[in-house]
Amino acid sequence: IVDDEEDTRLLIREHLKKEGYHFLEAYDGVAAQEVITEQYKNISAVIIDWKMPRMDGIDVLRWIKDDSKYEQIPIIMHTGLADTQHINEGIEAGAFYYVMKSEKHDLLVSIVRTAVSDFNYKKSLLHKIETEGNPYHLLVEGTFRFRTLEEGEYLALRIAKACSVPDAVVGISELMANAVEHGNLNITYNE
C-alpha cells in the first residue's frame, strides 16, 4: 500500500485484513522503491496513489514496469485524479487497474483479489516452464514452416533454447536466413 495519507492506508489495511491479505506500506514513491527492492519476492500486487511527496505514483509505476524483476507485479492506481488524461496515462504506463479513491472499498478489494490471482497464475506458469524442462526430447519428427527472416530468427532462438545450447543460435539463425534467401531465389533443396 503506497499512499502519503495515513487515513487512506488505514482504511485499505482494514479491508485487506478482512480478506486475509498481508501487506507492506510506504508513505511515498521513494519509500515504495525501497520496500519493493527489498521485498519484491513477497509482493503480489501494489496499490498506489498518484500524488505523493518526493516521487509520484506514476513514476513508481514506470520504474516497476521498466525493471524485469518487478514488471509482472500488477499495479493498481488508487487515486483522486479522475480525469481522462490521468486515467489514460496510468493505463498506458502499465497499470493493472485504475480506481478512484471515492469508489467503495469492496471494489478495491475485488480488484486486488483479481490482480493477485492473475499474478499468482502467471508466476505458476513461469515456474512450470523453468522447472518442467524441455519437451523437445520427446519429439520424434516435426516440421517448421517459415517465410521471413524474422520468423527464422524467432525459430532459431527457440531451437537453440530447446537444445540447451544458447551459443548455437548464431549458426542456426544463419541456416534459417539461408533457407529464406534460397526460397526467395527459388533455389530448390536439390540445387
Side-chain angles (χ1 to χ4, degrees), residues 18-31:
K18 291 176 188 174
E19 295 292 316
Y21 289 109
H22 302 280
F23 46 85
L24 303 163
E25 294 183 50
Y27 55 89
D28 68 15
V30 174

Side-chain angles (χ1 to χ4, degrees), residues 146 148-149 152-153 171-183:
F146 60 98
T148 66
L149 293 174
E153 181 179 296
I172 296 169
S173 185
E174 287 176 13
L175 286 173
M176 302 296 183
N178 285 339
V180 170
E181 290 168 0
H182 290 181

Side-chain angles (χ1 to χ4, degrees), residues 85-97:
Q85 178 185 346
H86 282 100
I87 294 169
N88 286 340
E89 188 176 349
I91 297 298
E92 287 177 12
F96 179 84
Y97 205 92

Side-chain angles (χ1 to χ4, degrees), residues 6 25-26 45 62 64 66 81 94 101 103 131 156 159 176:
E6 174 62 34
E25 294 183 50
R62 289 185 179 120
I64 289 169
D66 283 343
L81 299 174
K101 283 187 176 181
E103 297 288 341
T131 59
I159 290 171
M176 302 296 183

